[in-house]
């Protein structure tokens, strides 16, 4: 059972000068290079994002290597700095695979403790030349099985569905079943042994795919007995990362709506001056501040590898998902008729909000797990 009392230094919840500067740089960078029209244009490309911009984000600003240790080619900062970058990417609705590559795959490698795998893959993740993802992490029973191949290697058979960036990732870290139990494997997919089929999803800015392994060569990553712990910790880190993204998206939705209601006039006055509109915006602001707090706590826990991370990640997942849903609903509603049009960016944020709220489990699932973690419920209870 986890303690209910937080054990994080309150100073970790405050933004440092370096983090503030990073936020400013990224806000300006995205404003100049990743507008809505740019987003729409790149969504129609085979890869789904601007690969030149991805390289600039890694090379000029170093986002990809923020939480990667210096020995593996990164900057040696913590998850707290990466969370700032993720929040700004959520604010701009950046559509490149930061979440699967920089968060899930990179942290799975780090958490595995496998130095050989880290030395092989992390430098290329940090410099932006390798995209990666994870598969089968959230399945109760692995849909992929690993078999011993020739020369002490492994091959994978089976499938994993709705894999983030599954159709384009250069590396897939797979949780696969073995006779001794689930284990983590690294697979560099090739067409002959790995079929990847893009799925049609609600949020086109976050591509997903069905990945079918047909004797795909793979390398074991980390110790077998540590695999499930690595997977669980990776998912909690992913939840903290997604919460930061959702805070950024919620902030954009609220800022855009406040700006609109201050300019849109009805009955000779701005519609934002009407009490009913003020109340709705105030509710959204209160929810956003709560989401910021939940996200900051989860990011701090991830930054110091706190045992409180599972609790913080579940709480952030619930609070930030509901806030993003509320903020994007008001984004559409308070823009009136224009908010319902295909040309307006509001629907893109709505799609991101709806897709994100079920990405690592539903809010009800997180509440159930949270109750179990703090001792308010027992596993298997009705």
């Amino acid at each position: 059972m986890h303690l209910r009392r937080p054990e994080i230094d309150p100073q970790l919840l405050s933004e440092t000068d370096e983090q503030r500067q990073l936020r400013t740089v990224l806000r300006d960078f995205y404003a100049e290079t990743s507008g809505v029209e740019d987003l729409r244009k790149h969504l129609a490309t085979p890869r789904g994002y601007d690969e030149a911009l991805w390289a600039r984000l890694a090379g000029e600003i170093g986002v990809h290597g923020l939480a990667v240790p210096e020995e593996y080619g990164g900057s040696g900062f913590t998850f707290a700095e990466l969370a700032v970058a993720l929040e700004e990417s959520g604010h701009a609705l950046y559509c490149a695979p930061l979440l699967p590559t920089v968060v899930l795959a990179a942290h799975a490698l780090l958490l595995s403790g496998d130095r050989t795998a880290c030395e092989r893959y992390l430098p290329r993740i940090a410099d932006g030349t390798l995209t990666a993802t994870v598969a089968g992490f959230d399945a109760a029973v692995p849909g992929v099985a690993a078999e011993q191949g020739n020369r002490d290697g492994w091959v994978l058979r089976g499938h994993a569905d709705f894999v983030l960036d599954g159709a384009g990732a250069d590396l897939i870290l797979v949780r696969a079943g073995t006779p001794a139990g689930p284990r983590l494997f690294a697979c560099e997919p090739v067409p002959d042994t790995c079929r990847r089929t893009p799925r049609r999803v609600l949020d086109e800015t976050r591509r997903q795919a069905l990945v079918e392994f047909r004797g795909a060569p793979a390398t074991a990553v980390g110790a077998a007995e540590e695999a499930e712990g690595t997977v669980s910790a990776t998912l909690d880190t992913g939840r903290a990362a997604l919460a930061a993204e959702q805070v950024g998206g919620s902030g954009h939705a609220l800022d855009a709506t406040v700006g609109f209601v201050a300019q849109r006039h009805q009955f000779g006055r701005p519609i934002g001056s009407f009490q009913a509109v003020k109340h709705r915006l105030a509710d959204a602001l209160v929810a956003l501040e709560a989401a910021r707090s939940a996200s900051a706590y989860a990011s701090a826990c991830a930054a110091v590898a706190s045992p409180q991370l599972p609790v913080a990640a579940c709480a952030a997942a619930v609070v930030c998902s509901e806030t993003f849903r509320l903020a994007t609903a008001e984004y559409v509603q308070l823009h009136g008729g224009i908010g319902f049009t295909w040309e307006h960016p509001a629907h893109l944020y709505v799609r991101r909000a709806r897709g994100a709220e079920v990405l690592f489990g539903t809010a009800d699932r997180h509440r159930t797990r949270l109750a179990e973690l703090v001792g308010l419920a027992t596993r298997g209870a009705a």
Side-chain angles (χ1 to χ4, degrees), residues 219-235:
T219 304
V221 175
E225 61 273 15
E226 301 292 335
E228 291 296 78
T230 297
V231 167
S232 179
T234 299
L235 287 175

Side-chain angles (χ1 to χ4, degrees), residues 114 116-117 120-121 152-156 171-174 183-188 216-222:
D114 190 322
T116 301
R120 180 176 183 179
Y121 297 118
D152 298 325
W154 295 83
V155 294
L156 303 179
L171 169 70
I172 305 178
L173 295 175
V174 187
R183 192 169 181 182
L184 192 61
F185 295 88
C187 173
E188 298 180 48
T219 304
V221 175

Side-chain angles (χ1 to χ4, degrees), residues 177-333:
T178 71
R183 192 169 181 182
L184 192 61
F185 295 88
C187 173
E188 298 180 48
V190 294
D192 291 343
T193 57
C194 188
R195 180 180 180 183
R196 302 192 278 179
T197 307
R199 288 298 199 190
R200 184 177 182 182
V201 290
L202 179 65
D203 177 16
E204 296 177 346
T205 67
R206 178 164 281 145
R207 294 190 174 186
Q208 301 179 46
L210 168 66
V211 181
E212 298 172 273
F213 300 96
R214 301 174 174 180
T219 304
V221 175
E225 61 273 15
E226 301 292 335
E228 291 296 78
T230 297
V231 167
S232 179
T234 299
L235 287 175
D236 282 328
T237 305
R239 293 180 182 108
L242 186 61
E245 260 196 16
Q246 291 169 320
V247 167
S250 300
H252 165 85
L254 183 58
D255 290 345
T257 305
V258 169
F260 178 79
V261 300
Q263 297 175 2
R264 176 77 166 89
H265 282 64
Q266 192 65 275
F267 304 109
R269 54 191 285 199
I271 62 173
S273 66
F274 292 105
Q275 191 173 43
V277 174
K278 289 181 179 179
H279 285 175
R280 291 172 67 168
L281 292 174
D283 288 343
L285 177 60
V286 169
L288 177 57
E289 290 305 311
R292 288 191 194 281
S293 296
S295 174
Y297 181 53
S299 295
C301 287
V304 298
S306 168
Q308 285 285 306
L309 177 58
V311 172
C314 282
V318 173
V319 175
C320 296
S321 291
E322 293 183 346
T323 296
F324 199 12
R325 185 184 183 111
L326 171 65
T328 53
E330 297 294 18
Y331 191 11
V332 172
Q333 294 290 334

Side-chain angles (χ1 to χ4, degrees), residues 29 41 63 90 110 161 225 315 332:
F29 179 80
K41 177 178 69 175
V63 167
L110 287 169
D161 208 351
E225 61 273 15
V332 172

